[in-house]
Amino acid sequence: MYFGGGNYYYIILILEAFCIIHSLRRGTQQKWLWILIVIPLFGCLYYIYSEILSNRSIRAPKINVEAVINPGAKIKRFEDEVRFTDTFANRVKLADAYLEAGLTDKALEIYQNSLTGAFAENEHVMAQAHCSLF
């Protein structure tokens, strides 16, 4: 048998099955499946170290430093985008930024002006306009 006839072979198969099932459930099979099959023991140990023990799924929340230092920068950037290309998406981003900043009158005006043509029944804009009324 494997490793001098002991039961180590079965332990490696169980470990490999665990790693493959874990990889399939997390959606990382494209990256890990061949490594786990071709190099069973060392592939499993490396998989456990890099995917399970390193706690990559626990991340600190991202803080937008620009928004903390200069709260109007986001609005300014979206205003420039609307001046450069006056599209529905850019207007909605600007209105969302206004609403986030507490400027509900400006946001409501942009939302209502955006509800024209093909976008007359846009659910996001209608919901945001309704929320900004209250």
Side-chain angles (χ1 to χ4, degrees), residues 64-77:
N64 188 355
V65 177
E66 180 186 19
V68 172
I69 294 173
N70 187 2
K74 184 177 180 181
I75 293 174
K76 174 88 168 96
R77 186 177 73 236

Side-chain angles (χ1 to χ4, degrees), residues 12 33 53:
I12 293 171
L33 201 57
L53 296 178

Side-chain angles (χ1 to χ4, degrees), residues 34-77:
W34 286 107
I35 294 172
L36 293 171
I37 291 172
V38 173
I39 314 168
L41 180 62
F42 296 113
C44 289
L45 293 176
Y46 185 66
Y47 179 82
I48 290 171
Y49 171 73
S50 65
E51 294 291 325
I52 298 173
L53 296 178
S54 67
N55 291 331
R56 289 186 184 179
S57 62
I58 301 172
R59 296 178 189 231
K62 293 182 180 179
I63 298 172
N64 188 355
V65 177
E66 180 186 19
V68 172
I69 294 173
N70 187 2
K74 184 177 180 181
I75 293 174
K76 174 88 168 96
R77 186 177 73 236

Side-chain angles (χ1 to χ4, degrees), residues 87-106:
T87 63
F88 174 77
N90 287 343
R91 287 192 304 263
V92 170
K93 287 180 194 175
L94 177 61
D96 288 343
Y98 279 148
L99 192 61
E100 187 178 306
L103 303 170
T104 55
D105 295 336
K106 289 184 178 182

